[in-house]
């Protein structure tokens, strides 16, 4: 399997095996980063991602997608999968306003079985300790 990310640089989402065909991810310009502390999803600010252009706030659907894509990448990396796992359920908590600045998402696998995996993920801007959204995501592993 091709490595999802290079440890020294960011890799564009469209280069990540198994995730490259998602047109919404390409439209969002989603990127995966690995800086030695685990995978992170990243969105750079762009006008087409705004839910409220007057206040310069990101759309809630963009945040939910960032959580889902990052969660899927974490599962693929942790379990050495070639295909993107299928999302079965997600519970998203919006904790604060998402300004139009660089936005990051990180997560971890909290449970796994032969067919299912659960990931907790959080979005932050600035300090990783100050989440603006969080989710619990359950994935079906594709065989």
């Amino acid at each position: 399997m091709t490595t999802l990310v290079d440890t020294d640089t960011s890799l564009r989402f469209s280069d990540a095996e198994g995730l490259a065909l998602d047109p919404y991810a390409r439209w969002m310009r989603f990127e995966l980063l690995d800086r030695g502390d685990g995978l992170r999803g990243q969105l750079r600010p762009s006008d087409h991602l705004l839910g409220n252009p007057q206040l310069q706030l990101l759309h809630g659907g963009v945040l939910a997608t960032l959580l889902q894509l990052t969660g899927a990448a974490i599962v693929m990396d942790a379990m050495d999968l070639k295909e993107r796992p299928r999302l079965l359920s997600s519970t998203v908590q919006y904790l604060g306003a998402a300004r139009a600045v660089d936005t990051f998402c990180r997560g971890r696998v909290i449970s796994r079985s032969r067919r299912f995996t659960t990931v907790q993920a959080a979005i932050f801007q600035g300090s990783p300790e100050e989440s603006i959204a969080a989710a619990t995501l359950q994935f079906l592993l594709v065989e």
Side-chain angles (χ1 to χ4, degrees), residues 1-5 11-27 29-33 39-41 65-78 81-87 139 142:
M1 177 175 158
T2 303
T3 303
L4 285 175
V5 293
L11 222 159
R12 291 209 168 266
F13 182 75
S14 59
D15 296 334
E17 183 178 346
L19 299 173
L21 299 178
D22 190 315
Y24 192 52
R26 285 193 306 249
W27 177 79
R29 297 185 204 136
F30 176 82
E31 296 180 32
L32 284 173
L33 308 173
L39 290 179
R40 288 186 183 184
T65 301
L66 176 59
L67 289 160
Q68 292 172 12
L69 293 173
T70 303
I74 289 168
V75 171
M76 289 177 68
D77 185 56
L81 301 176
K82 292 184 180 183
E83 289 188 47
R84 182 176 167 181
R86 294 190 179 134
L87 182 67
F139 293 95
V142 180

Side-chain angles (χ1 to χ4, degrees), residues 11-122:
L11 222 159
R12 291 209 168 266
F13 182 75
S14 59
D15 296 334
E17 183 178 346
L19 299 173
L21 299 178
D22 190 315
Y24 192 52
R26 285 193 306 249
W27 177 79
M28 286 176 38
R29 297 185 204 136
F30 176 82
E31 296 180 32
L32 284 173
L33 308 173
D34 188 357
R35 303 235 169 102
D37 60 350
L39 290 179
R40 288 186 183 184
Q42 178 179 3
L43 288 179
R44 298 194 185 274
S46 181
D47 288 343
H48 71 281
L49 301 178
L50 299 178
N52 188 333
Q54 292 177 331
L55 297 178
Q56 293 291 294
L57 299 176
L58 296 176
H59 191 280
V62 169
L63 298 177
T65 301
L66 176 59
L67 289 160
Q68 292 172 12
L69 293 173
T70 303
I74 289 168
V75 171
M76 289 177 68
D77 185 56
M79 303 188 77
D80 198 29
L81 301 176
K82 292 184 180 183
E83 289 188 47
R84 182 176 167 181
R86 294 190 179 134
L87 182 67
L88 290 177
S89 69
S90 65
T91 303
V92 178
Q93 298 173 324
Y94 296 97
L95 306 170
R99 301 176 325 274
V101 298
D102 284 352
T103 304
F104 302 92
C105 181
R106 66 180 181 174
R108 64 186 178 92
V109 173
I110 59 170
S111 68
R112 68 172 81 170
S113 67
R114 189 173 54 82
R115 297 193 61 209
F116 304 101
T117 301
T118 303
V119 174
Q120 283 184 335

